């Protein structure tokens, strides 16, 4: 299974999540919360199909030195960094050795929050069914940080929805979310982008437009 683009992936997810709208969710009103940037383009058709509001939770990956695409931790909102102890041990890293990287990612996280939200406060998550959407799941570091951040804010139900993901990472998040929805779990998983024909990065302007229009 491959997706033409993020919009097609979002429509596939929307079909799997349609039961939430059709039966109504007794756990509380729906909110679709995208992980920008890429997750926003997937979440937009999901929110439209469910008739649910769309918002974002900015998370930032903390990459390994000399291999920034490999996440050894992540940041969500103002929470402390969440590190993967196994990855740190395997690479011979310590949390202190990554302090400069954490500071850089925290600064970028805050810049994006200002750009996407402006003066608008984060949504109230208490008592709601929150559907967290991203364009895929590799190590799961950013999703884990996002789910733990949301869980502390008292949602009635927490759903993680991604079009494609590494099976081991998806399994490891089963205890973080109440439900994990993923239509494609390839055994030979290398990177999220390999499962899309068009995996161009979104711009900040595109994120802001999606939030205004949904």
């Amino acid at each position: 299974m491959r997706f033409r683009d993020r919009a097609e992936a979002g429509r596939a997810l929307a079909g799997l999540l349609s039961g939430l709208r059709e039966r109504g969710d007794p756990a509380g009103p729906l909110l679709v919360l995208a992980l920008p940037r890429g997750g926003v383009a997937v979440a937009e058709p999901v929110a439209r199909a469910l008739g649910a509001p769309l918002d974002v939770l900015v998370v930032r990956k903390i990459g390994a030195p000399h291999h920034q695409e490999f996440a050894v931790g992540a940041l969500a909102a103002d929470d402390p960094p969440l590190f993967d102890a196994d990855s740190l041990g395997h690479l011979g890293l310590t949390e202190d050795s990554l302090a400069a990287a954490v500071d850089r990612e925290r600064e970028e996280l805050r810049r994006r929050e200002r750009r996407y939200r402006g003066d608008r406060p984060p949504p109230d998550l208490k008592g709601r069914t929150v559907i967290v959407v991203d364009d895929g799941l590799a190590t799961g570091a950013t999703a884990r940080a996002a789910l733990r951040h949301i869980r502390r804010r008292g949602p009635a139900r927490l759903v993680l929805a991604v079009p494609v993901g590494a099976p081991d990472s998806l399994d490891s998040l089963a205890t973080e979310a109440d439900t994990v929805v993923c239509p494609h779990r390839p055994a030979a998983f290398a990177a999220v982008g390999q499962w899309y024909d068009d995996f161009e990065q979104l711009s900040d302007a595109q994120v802001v437009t999606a939030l205004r229009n949904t």
Side-chain angles (χ1 to χ4, degrees), residues 14 46 60 75 79-80 110 137 149 175 191 194 199 206:
V46 171
R60 293 294 296 170
L75 295 168
D79 294 352
R110 289 171 176 161
L137 191 80
H149 172 83
T175 58
Q194 77 182 104
F199 199 63
Q206 288 173 299

Side-chain angles (χ1 to χ4, degrees), residues 1-3 61 69-71 134-142 162-171 173 182-196 199:
M1 178 187 292
R2 287 177 61 84
F3 301 103
K61 173 173 56 184
E69 289 306 308
F70 182 78
D134 203 356
D135 55 12
L137 191 80
T139 67
T142 54
V162 293
V164 60
D168 289 348
S169 298
L170 288 162
D171 290 344
L173 292 174
C182 179
H184 190 36
R185 304 177 179 223
F189 186 98
V192 172
Q194 77 182 104
W195 305 103
Y196 287 85
F199 199 63

